[in-house]
Amino acid sequence: MLGNFTYCNPTKLYFGKDALDGLNEELPKYGKNVLLVYGGGSIKSNGVYDKVIKILKDNGKNVFEDAGVMPNPTSEKLNEGLARAKAAKADLILAVGGGSVCDYAKAVSVSVNCNDDPWDKYFIRFEEPACKIIPVGCVLTMVGTGSEMNGGSVITNREQKLKIGHVFGENVFPKFSVLNPEFTFTVPKEQMVSGIYDIMSHILEQYFSGMDDNTSDYIMEGLLRSLIHSANIAVENPTDYEARSNIMWTATWALNTLVAKGKTTDWMVHMLGQAVAAHTDATHGMTLAAVSIPYYRRILPYGLKKFARYAVNVWGVNPEGKTQIKVAEEGLLAMEEWMKKIGLTMNLTALGATEQMLDGIVKSTLIMDGGYKVLDENDVRAVLKASF
Amino acid sequence: MLGNFTYCNPTKLYFGKDALDGLNEELPKYGKNVLLVYGGGSIKSNGVYDKVIKILKDNGKNVFEDAGVMPNPTSEKLNEGLARAKAAKADLILAVGGGSVCDYAKAVSVSVNCNDDPWDKYFIRFEEPACKIIPVGCVLTMVGTGSEMNGGSVITNREQKLKIGHVFGENVFPKFSVLNPEFTFTVPKEQMVSGIYDIMSHILEQYFSGMDDNTSDYIMEGLLRSLIHSANIAVENPTDYEARSNIMWTATWALNTLVAKGKTTDWMVHMLGQAVAAHTDATHGMTLAAVSIPYYRRILPYGLKKFARYAVNVWGVNPEGKTQIKVAEEGLLAMEEWMKKIGLTMNLTALGATEQMLDGIVKSTLIMDGGYKVLDENDVRAVLKASF
C-alpha cells in the first residue's frame, strides 16, 4: 500500500430479496418532498415503480417525478432535472434504475443549489460542490457501474461530443442504496452482459497499473474470478439468484473506492469507450468491450509482469516452460474468448461507429497517465482502428 | 450472496506515513475533553505518545489519561475506565495501541452512560447500548484484531474465567482510525507474528462455513494470499514498509464486516482460543494458532469440498490425480508448515496451559453452530488435547 490515503464510504446498503424494506428505515430521516428519478419506464412494467410509490406514500411523502433519464444522461437533461428538483423543493432524490439514473441523480444533487452551469463547473472545470447537496438514495435495477456506492457521475454533452465523469467526494455518495438482485432479472440479456463487462473493466482499470504487490491486487483477482464464475452461470440462466447476487455484490466492490486505495490506476479503456459513446450513444459496457483487447495488446509489453500474473491468477494459464510474454498473451487470448462466449460486442462497427468518425473519436479521447504506457494520438488512433 | 443483509461501515481511515495528521481533521469535530487510553507504555518509548499529545494540545484539548490497558482487558479495568471517562466528562475517547486498547475503548464508550454493570449487560446478556455512546477514535500501533474498523470488543472476566466478545453495531464503530504502518515497526517479532495469525484466523473463521460459491470466498482467498505473501517478507525484514502496510490493510478488511456479508461464519477457533486465554492470559493470536490445526483436522471431513478448494486456491496444492481428501489434507499440512516457519506457537503447553486446566478450559469454551460440524464436549476436549 503505497502513499498516504484516506478511506471512508458511508453509504448504507440494503441487500437481498427484501432489500426494498430498507426504504422504511431510511425515508423517515428525510423531509417530505421526494424527487423520484428514473429512466425509460421499465420500472413500470416490472413492478418496481408501484412498489416504490407505495412505500413513499406509506411514509407520507410528496412524490415528484423526473422520468426519461437516458442511458448516457445529457447535460440538457441535467438542466431539466435541477429545475424539477428546485421546483419540488426536494429533500431527497430517489434514483430508481441503473448506473445512469444514479449518476444523473448525483449530478442533480450537486447542481440544485449551485448558480454556475453544472456541465462547465463539474465536468469541464472539475470543481467541487460548494453548495448544499440534496441527499440521494438509490434503488438499483441494473448492475455494472458501481454508482450505488461511490461519488462517480458521468454526463454527456451531445453538442460538444464529450462524455465526462466526475468522481465526487463522500459527501456526494448515495446515503443508502437498495440492492435486490431480483430487480435485475428483467434486464435484457445484452444489457446484463454489458454490465458484466463494465464491472470487469472497472477492476482491470485499477489492476493494470503499477507493479507493486498490493493487497488490492489480490482482492481484485478474487473479484475477477468471482465475476467470471458467476457470469458463466448467469449467461446460461439469467434468473439464477445466487449468480446474479454475486455479480451485483462484485459490481459494488469493484468501484466503491476500496480497490484503488494505496495504488495507481489507469482508466484509459473508459476514456476510449466514452469517446466512442459520445459519437454513437452506444451502450457503455459494449464500448469498453470493443476497445479493451486492442488496448491491452498495445500496452502489454510495458506491463508484461502484471499481464503474466493476470493470466495465471485469473485465467488459470499454466506458466510452466513458457516465456513471460507467451503467458501474458495467453491470458489476453483467454479473456478475448470468454468475452465472445458471453456475447459481448467486440468491435466498433457493431456499435454504430464508422471509419469516418475516427478523427472525431480520437479528438474526444481524454488521455490518462496512470497506465503502463501513456498513449499518444498515434496510439489512440491505432487502438481504435484495431477495434473496428 | 445468500439471505438479506445490510452493510454500513462509516469509520474514516487515515492510512500511511502521514496518517497521524488526520487527527487535525478529526479532533475539531469533538468537544474539549479527550480521554487518552493506552496500554503498557510502549507508546512512550516509541515516540507515538509524544506526537499524539502534541496534536491534542495544538487542538486545544483537555487531555485525561487512562493507561495500563492489558493485552486481555478485564472487566475490573473496564469499571475503572468508565469511572475515569465519567470524571473527565469525556467528549472523545482516543485509543492509542493495539486491538485490546481499541476493544477496551469501545467497551468504555458504551458503559459510561449506562447504569447496569457493563460485564453483565454486554458480555453475559449481549444487550445493545441504549444510552449515549461516547465517540471513539483509534491510533493503531499493533495489527491483527481489525478492531479499528468494527464494533467488536472482547473483555475478560478473570474471576469467572470467561473471555467474551460482543460485536456492537455501527454506532459503536470507531469514528476514525489512524493507520501508520511505521507505528507497528517496534512491536516485538513474536507479537507481530501473533497478529498475523489473528488476521489469518479471522479470515478462516468466515471462510470455513457454508458451501456456496460466494464473492466473499474469492475476496477472502485474495486476502489470505496477500497475507501469506507479505508475512513471509515481514518475518525476514520486519521494517519492510510495503509488507507491513499490506498486512495492516489486510487486517482491517479481514474483520470490518465485509467478508461475512451474505454468508454464514464459524468462530469456533476463537471460542477455543478465548477459553485458553481466560485460563492462561496467553497472547490472543498464539492461542488461536495452537488450536487451529487440530480443530480443522477434526472438522475436515464435514467441509471437505471447501478444505480442498482452500488447499488449491490459497496454498497452491496441485489437485491432479489426487482424491479430494488428499488435496484437503495437503492444504492443512502446507498451512501447518507455514505457521511453524513464521514462528507461531503451535501448542498449549508453550502458552502456559497444563493438562490440569483441561476441564476448566473445556467448560469455558462457548459452542458456536456456524461451522462444518457443531462440536460437542467430547470434540472440544479432543481438539484441546490434540493442541497440547
Side-chain angles (χ1 to χ4, degrees):
Chain A
M1 310 304 295
L2 296 169
N4 292 286
F5 63 83
T6 60
Y7 175 89
C8 185
N9 195 326
T11 303
K12 180 152 192 167
L13 303 177
Y14 294 87
F15 195 101
K17 292 180 185 184
D18 301 330
L20 201 60
D21 294 346
L23 286 184
N24 290 315
E25 287 185 46
E26 294 298 323
L27 292 174
K29 298 178 186 170
Y30 304 95
K32 282 211 163 300
N33 300 326
V34 176
L35 184 69
L36 183 69
V37 172
Y38 58 98
S42 65
I43 62 165
K44 289 198 174 166
S45 52
N46 67 14
V48 175
Y49 175 87
D50 288 342
K51 285 179 189 155
V52 170
I53 290 285
K54 183 174 185 317
I55 297 175
L56 287 168
K57 294 290 179 193
D58 288 351
N59 280 273
K61 301 296 180 183
N62 305 320
V63 183
F64 302 84
E65 299 206 10
D66 179 10
V69 180
M70 54 291 280
N72 291 310
T74 63
S75 49
E76 291 91 334
K77 177 69 188 166
L78 171 56
N79 288 328
E80 186 195 314
L82 72 89
R84 278 177 192 266
K86 214 176 266 187
K89 294 198 169 85
D91 298 305
L92 173 72
I93 302 174
L94 187 63
V96 183
S100 301
V101 176
C102 299
D103 278 22
Y104 170 82
K106 284 182 249 177
V108 172
S109 80
V110 295
S111 303
V112 177
N113 299 309
C114 137
N115 293 321
D116 283 340
D117 176 79
W119 170 258
D120 288 343
K121 181 178 172 70
Y122 297 122
F123 300 92
I124 296 294
R125 299 200 306 271
F126 282 97
E127 289 174 18
E128 289 308 308
C131 58
K132 189 170 169 279
I133 299 161
I134 314 288
V136 169
C138 301
V139 177
L140 208 61
T141 63
M142 204 154 66
V143 164
T145 70
S147 189
E148 66 274 15
M149 204 192 188
N150 67 31
S153 176
V154 184
I155 297 296
T156 298
N157 187 310
R158 300 238 65 87
E159 202 186 321
Q160 297 174 20
K161 291 205 180 299
L162 288 172
K163 176 178 173 181
I164 296 176
H166 187 133
V167 181
F168 291 100
E170 69 219 37
N171 49 349
V172 183
F173 287 27
K175 300 300 172 208
F176 62 88
S177 286
V178 169
L179 279 67
N180 181 341
E182 289 183 334
F183 288 178
T184 71
F185 282 4
T186 52
V187 166
K189 191 167 171 180
E190 190 190 298
Q191 278 188 35
M192 175 189 82
V193 171
S194 172
I196 286 169
Y197 192 74
D198 194 20
I199 304 165
M200 177 169 275
S201 184
H202 290 158
I203 305 171
L204 295 180
E205 298 272 34
Q206 299 170 92
Y207 183 78
F208 284 128
S209 178
M211 283 301 180
D212 43 305
D213 213 339
N214 208 294
T215 299
S216 284
D217 291 314
Y218 292 91
I219 296 175
M220 285 189 273
E221 286 163 357
L223 290 174
L224 286 165
R225 293 179 63 171
S226 176
L227 180 65
I228 294 162
H229 171 80
S230 292
N232 289 339
I233 297 169
V235 165
E236 291 301 315
N237 181 11
T239 58
D240 184 299
Y241 180 84
E242 191 59 8
R244 294 299 286 271
S245 68
N246 280 309
I247 293 170
M248 194 172 217
W249 195 233
T250 300
T252 300
W253 288 91
L255 198 59
N256 65 1
T257 81
L258 167 62
V259 296
K261 292 298 167 188
K263 74 180 301 297
T264 57
T265 56
D266 182 353
W267 294 109
M268 203 55 227
V269 166
H270 270 68
M271 295 305 110
L272 289 159
Q274 287 176 192
V276 171
H279 288 258
T280 60
D281 204 28
T283 308
H284 178 62
M286 294 302 187
T287 65
L288 306 177
V291 302
S292 280
I293 297 291
Y295 172 67
Y296 287 131
R297 291 230 162 91
R298 190 155 188 104
I299 66 165
L300 181 142
Y302 307 92
L304 194 50
K305 193 179 142 197
K306 193 66 169 277
F307 280 99
R309 171 181 171 155
Y310 172 65
V312 175
N313 290 357
V314 176
W315 295 102
V317 171
N318 181 354
E320 249 171 77
K322 292 173 197 158
T323 61
Q324 203 168 40
I325 198 158
K326 178 89 175 97
V327 174
E329 283 170 352
E330 281 188 22
L332 286 188
L333 198 64
M335 176 182 167
E336 188 176 25
E337 279 165 9
W338 179 80
M339 289 170 74
K340 286 179 188 165
K341 194 187 83 179
I342 68 166
L344 286 160
T345 305
M346 300 298 281
N347 70 80
L348 295 178
T349 314
L351 296 176
T354 61
E355 296 266 4
Q356 286 77 3
M357 291 178 185
L358 189 58
D359 283 348
I361 299 175
V362 172
K363 214 172 150 192
S364 300
T365 303
L366 305 182
I367 304 284
M368 306 293 278
D369 63 1
Y372 291 123
K373 180 186 194 303
V374 181
L375 301 194
D376 57 26
E377 207 187 291
N378 273 346
D379 291 315
V380 171
R381 188 177 298 275
V383 168
L384 288 168
K385 271 190 123 169
S387 304
F388 272 97
Chain B
M1 312 302 295
L2 295 170
N4 292 286
F5 63 83
T6 60
Y7 175 88
C8 184
N9 194 326
T11 303
K12 180 153 191 165
L13 303 177
Y14 295 86
F15 195 99
K17 293 180 185 182
D18 301 329
L20 200 60
D21 295 346
L23 286 186
N24 290 314
E25 287 184 45
E26 294 299 323
L27 291 175
K29 298 177 186 170
Y30 304 94
K32 282 209 163 302
N33 300 328
V34 176
L35 183 69
L36 183 69
V37 173
Y38 57 98
S42 64
I43 62 165
K44 290 199 173 164
S45 51
N46 66 16
V48 174
Y49 175 87
D50 288 342
K51 285 179 190 156
V52 170
I53 289 286
K54 184 175 184 316
I55 296 174
L56 286 168
K57 293 291 179 192
D58 289 351
N59 281 273
K61 301 296 181 185
N62 305 322
V63 182
F64 302 84
E65 301 205 7
D66 180 10
V69 180
M70 55 292 278
N72 291 311
T74 63
S75 49
E76 291 91 333
K77 177 69 188 166
L78 171 55
N79 288 329
E80 185 195 315
L82 73 88
R84 277 177 192 265
K86 216 177 262 188
K89 296 197 169 82
D91 299 303
L92 173 72
I93 302 174
L94 187 63
V96 183
S100 301
V101 176
C102 299
D103 278 21
Y104 170 82
K106 282 181 253 179
V108 172
S109 80
V110 294
S111 304
V112 177
N113 298 311
C114 139
N115 294 321
D116 283 340
D117 176 80
W119 171 258
D120 288 341
K121 180 178 174 69
Y122 297 121
F123 300 92
I124 296 295
R125 299 200 306 269
F126 283 97
E127 289 174 17
E128 289 309 307
C131 57
K132 190 170 167 280
I133 299 161
I134 313 288
V136 169
C138 301
V139 176
L140 208 61
T141 62
M142 203 151 70
V143 164
T145 69
S147 190
E148 65 274 16
M149 203 190 189
N150 67 31
S153 176
V154 184
I155 297 294
T156 298
N157 187 310
R158 299 238 65 87
E159 202 186 322
Q160 297 174 18
K161 292 207 182 296
L162 288 172
K163 178 179 173 181
I164 296 176
H166 186 135
V167 180
F168 291 100
E170 68 218 39
N171 50 349
V172 183
F173 286 27
K175 301 299 173 208
F176 62 88
S177 285
V178 169
L179 279 67
N180 181 342
E182 289 183 334
F183 288 178
T184 71
F185 282 5
T186 51
V187 167
K189 191 167 171 180
E190 190 190 299
Q191 278 189 32
M192 176 189 81
V193 171
S194 172
I196 287 169
Y197 191 74
D198 193 20
I199 304 167
M200 176 168 275
S201 184
H202 290 158
I203 305 171
L204 294 180
E205 299 270 33
Q206 298 169 94
Y207 183 80
F208 284 127
S209 178
M211 282 300 181
D212 42 308
D213 211 341
N214 208 295
T215 299
S216 284
D217 291 315
Y218 292 91
I219 295 175
M220 285 190 273
E221 285 163 357
L223 290 174
L224 286 166
R225 293 179 61 171
S226 177
L227 179 66
I228 294 162
H229 172 80
S230 292
N232 289 339
I233 297 169
V235 165
E236 291 299 315
N237 181 10
T239 59
D240 184 301
Y241 179 83
E242 192 58 8
R244 294 300 285 272
S245 68
N246 279 310
I247 293 169
M248 194 172 218
W249 195 233
T250 300
T252 300
W253 287 91
L255 199 58
N256 66 1
T257 80
L258 168 63
V259 297
K261 292 298 167 187
K263 74 183 299 299
T264 57
T265 56
D266 182 353
W267 295 108
M268 204 53 229
V269 167
H270 270 68
M271 295 307 108
L272 290 159
Q274 288 174 192
V276 172
H279 287 258
T280 61
D281 203 30
T283 309
H284 178 60
M286 293 303 187
T287 64
L288 306 177
V291 302
S292 281
I293 296 291
Y295 173 67
Y296 288 130
R297 290 228 163 95
R298 190 155 188 104
I299 66 165
L300 182 141
Y302 308 92
L304 195 51
K305 193 179 143 199
K306 194 67 168 277
F307 279 99
R309 172 182 170 154
Y310 171 66
V312 175
N313 290 357
V314 176
W315 295 102
V317 171
N318 181 353
E320 250 170 76
K322 292 172 195 160
T323 60
Q324 203 170 39
I325 198 159
K326 177 90 175 99
V327 173
E329 283 170 351
E330 282 188 22
L332 285 189
L333 197 64
M335 176 182 167
E336 186 177 28
E337 280 166 7
W338 179 80
M339 289 170 74
K340 286 179 188 163
K341 195 187 81 180
I342 68 166
L344 286 161
T345 305
M346 301 299 282
N347 70 79
L348 294 178
T349 314
L351 295 177
T354 61
E355 297 265 6
Q356 286 76 7
M357 292 178 186
L358 190 58
D359 283 346
I361 299 175
V362 171
K363 211 172 153 194
S364 300
T365 302
L366 306 183
I367 304 284
M368 306 292 277
D369 62 2
Y372 290 123
K373 178 185 196 307
V374 181
L375 301 193
D376 57 25
E377 206 187 291
N378 273 346
D379 291 314
V380 170
R381 188 178 299 274
V383 168
L384 287 168
K385 270 191 125 168
S387 305
F388 273 97

